[in-house]
Amino acid sequence: MAWPSPTARMIACAPLLCALLLCGLSAAAAAAAAAAAATQDATDVVYLTVAYCPTDFTSEGAVIAVDPLTGNYTIVGKFMWPPNAIFGCAALYDPTVTFDRPSHNLYLDFGDDFGLLVTVNVEQAKVVEETSPHDLFFVGFTNMQFDPNTKRLFGMSPTGTRDGEGAFQFGSLDPSAIDGDYQNISVIPYRAMMGAAWSLGGHPMLLLLILLAPMRLLLILRLLPVVLLFLLDGAVGSYSGNGPCCTDSSVLDDTEYLASGKYWVQASYDKRHESEWCDPNNDAALCLLQVDQKSGELLSSTFTNYTVYKFADTPNANGTVLSFMFGFEGLCRHPYEDFLFANVNLTSAEATPIACIPQKVTIQEDEWISSFSQDRSMFATASGFGSELQFLSFNATTGAVLANTDLPNLAKTLGAAEGLVFIWGVDFE
């Protein structure tokens, strides 16, 4: 789902001169396609980390290995979630996640459990760490990245402010420490952050209802926050003390980028003086923030007319970063969703389109649950909407579909009650 605001979706994509773009796009795509063909590694595998409910009141996890070229899959293994992480069925949980490719570790932050962090090694298909942060003012990351140099997670989390509007704090956490050793670095004066979520999971009365509800009702409850956000025009987000921060009932993951001591993320609803807004006429404009990793200082805020759902792990040779985004409607002209691949200059926030996804292809949901291959030639995304599963992979330089599958018989093979499987991680190895 795209980014909603109190009056409209926050994605404000300006129309472009199609003739100019198409000329540049076709030439760039042709060159990129040739490069991709030379570098694409047929041995690549995509790991899906999933949660499923063997019964209406229990949850388990599994890791699925998928061939990105064919969509064929195998089950790597199953595991039990820590009892503190999930209460009952996983239908109402949606953790913030980030992946560290060298260690094969997927970090899952459960905001519904006050930031409980679970580390799953996808190669071994097992839980290897469980961290319970003891900081009273830390309620879980909204977005986060693992820093291999410090071995800590850095990210944004909602926090209260005296004016009652809320903001976000930038901080770090040690996933190997039992108590997390959370360190608050700075306050970022924005009320909306890519990755923000509003969830029903932490509310006792709703949990009681869940215990008594049939599985189908859980799906309705899972979608309820989305409906409320639109009906109440964003007011529901104020529940957590951070204003209209919310995107939908799921979490946008890895919509941030960490490199060279800088943390990059998109945000909106700037609380500073209007002279400091990235768009002087609109505090709700979506801005690309640059935050100093060590001091937490907000170094820059630049207007963007697109929404990034995934950054590649490593930059291109020219310093730009490959991304999967929403925008450029005048170029893509998709009947439902204008998703495309583009290179982003983080300093200027300028995005250069590479290729749109095909007009006949529709991403079911959860486009942020995705990953680029290590050589940046492929991109994969997957989702589970009730019993309807989808795995999609693309050539990231032409936009062509490599595989589009509903992962047949996966729910049955796992033993999921009523066929419900929830995909929480999609990661190229």
Side-chain angles (χ1 to χ4, degrees):
M1 172 174 285
W3 185 283
S5 73
T7 55
R9 296 186 186 276
M10 287 173 49
I11 303 171
C13 301
L16 301 175
L17 297 175
C18 295
L20 292 176
L21 277 174
L22 286 174
C23 290
L25 184 60
S26 59
T39 59
Q40 197 169 68
D41 187 351
T43 63
D44 277 316
V45 62
V46 180
Y47 286 113
L48 308 184
T49 302
V50 308
Y52 65 98
C53 306
T55 71
D56 290 0
F57 309 109
T58 60
S59 293
E60 292 184 17
V63 175
I64 317 300
V66 184
D67 185 328
L69 301 179
T70 65
N72 296 332
Y73 71 87
T74 58
I75 297 177
V76 178
K78 300 180 181 180
F79 58 88
M80 299 297 297
W81 293 105
N84 294 334
I86 297 176
F87 179 68
C89 178
L92 290 183
Y93 289 84
D94 240 330
T96 298
V97 305
T98 192
F99 183 64
D100 177 49
R101 184 176 280 125
S103 66
H104 317 295
N105 283 340
L106 180 71
Y107 299 96
L108 303 99
D109 188 307
F110 290 85
D112 293 320
D113 297 317
F114 302 101
L116 175 72
L117 186 77
V118 176
T119 305
V120 174
N121 185 287
V122 296
E123 267 199 341
Q124 302 174 29
K126 71 175 185 179
V127 174
V128 293
E129 296 280 359
E130 181 182 353
T131 303
S132 299
H134 291 171
D135 190 296
L136 293 177
F137 299 98
F138 177 70
V139 295
F141 284 121
T142 290
N143 51 63
M144 62 184 182
Q145 278 284 336
F146 180 77
D147 179 14
N149 296 317
T150 62
K151 306 298 183 183
R152 297 179 68 89
L153 291 163
F154 286 80
M156 303 286 182
S157 59
T159 186
T161 56
R162 291 185 177 182
D163 60 12
E165 292 184 345
F168 284 84
Q169 62 182 10
F170 179 66
S172 72
L173 181 145
D174 181 357
S176 67
I178 295 177
D179 64 356
D181 183 32
Y182 178 76
Q183 297 176 9
N184 178 25
I185 300 174
S186 69
V187 174
I188 305 300
Y190 284 77
R191 290 186 291 136
M193 190 74 60
M194 285 297 285
W198 189 88
S199 173
L200 296 175
H203 300 263
M205 292 305 295
L206 285 173
L207 287 176
L208 178 61
L209 176 60
I210 291 166
L211 287 175
L212 302 176
M215 189 68 73
R216 297 295 178 185
L217 181 57
L218 294 183
L219 290 177
I220 298 175
L221 290 174
R222 189 180 182 208
L223 294 174
L224 185 59
V226 183
V227 177
L228 291 175
L229 281 172
F230 284 98
L231 292 180
L232 301 183
D233 208 22
V236 176
S238 62
Y239 174 86
S240 61
N242 54 335
C245 70
C246 309
T247 56
D248 54 51
S249 62
S250 297
V251 176
L252 308 181
D253 302 312
D254 283 354
T255 54
E256 66 292 315
Y257 188 73
L258 177 64
S260 302
K262 306 295 187 297
Y263 190 89
W264 306 82
V265 67
Q266 287 181 293
S268 64
Y269 291 95
D270 195 333
K271 299 180 61 176
R272 300 174 300 170
H273 188 271
E274 60 186 32
S275 62
E276 297 182 276
W277 296 350
C278 70
D279 180 349
N281 300 313
N282 182 14
D283 71 330
L286 193 57
C287 316
L288 181 62
L289 308 187
Q290 177 187 185
V291 178
D292 185 273
Q293 180 182 356
K294 186 175 181 180
S295 68
E297 179 185 358
L298 178 58
L299 300 175
S300 65
S301 174
T302 309
F303 173 76
T304 54
N305 62 351
Y306 53 82
T307 301
V308 174
Y309 285 108
K310 178 67 64 173
F311 284 113
D313 293 339
T314 57
N316 300 316
N318 64 359
T320 60
V321 181
L322 178 62
S323 66
F324 184 69
M325 64 171 59
F326 181 98
F328 296 95
E329 292 99 322
L331 172 65
C332 294
R333 298 185 180 277
H334 193 286
Y336 307 111
E337 45 196 28
D338 292 295
F339 293 115
L340 71 153
F341 299 98
N343 289 323
V344 176
N345 182 314
L346 295 176
T347 302
S348 66
E350 179 183 359
T352 303
I354 299 173
C356 301
I357 68 169
Q359 294 183 358
K360 295 182 179 180
V361 174
T362 298
I363 298 176
Q364 182 173 282
E365 66 164 0
D366 294 354
E367 56 275 2
W368 51 88
I369 303 179
S370 53
S371 176
F372 282 99
S373 61
Q374 191 166 7
D375 64 2
R376 302 184 298 277
S377 66
M378 292 183 286
F379 175 83
T381 181
S383 63
F385 185 74
S387 58
E388 297 180 13
L389 303 179
Q390 182 188 46
F391 173 86
L392 263 172
S393 58
F394 298 88
N395 181 311
T397 55
T398 66
V401 173
L402 301 175
N404 187 357
T405 173
D406 61 359
L407 302 171
N409 299 316
L410 176 59
K412 181 178 179 181
T413 304
L414 290 173
E418 299 194 40
L420 301 182
V421 176
F422 309 99
I423 300 176
W424 286 349
V426 175
D427 301 289
F428 270 94
E429 201 31 42

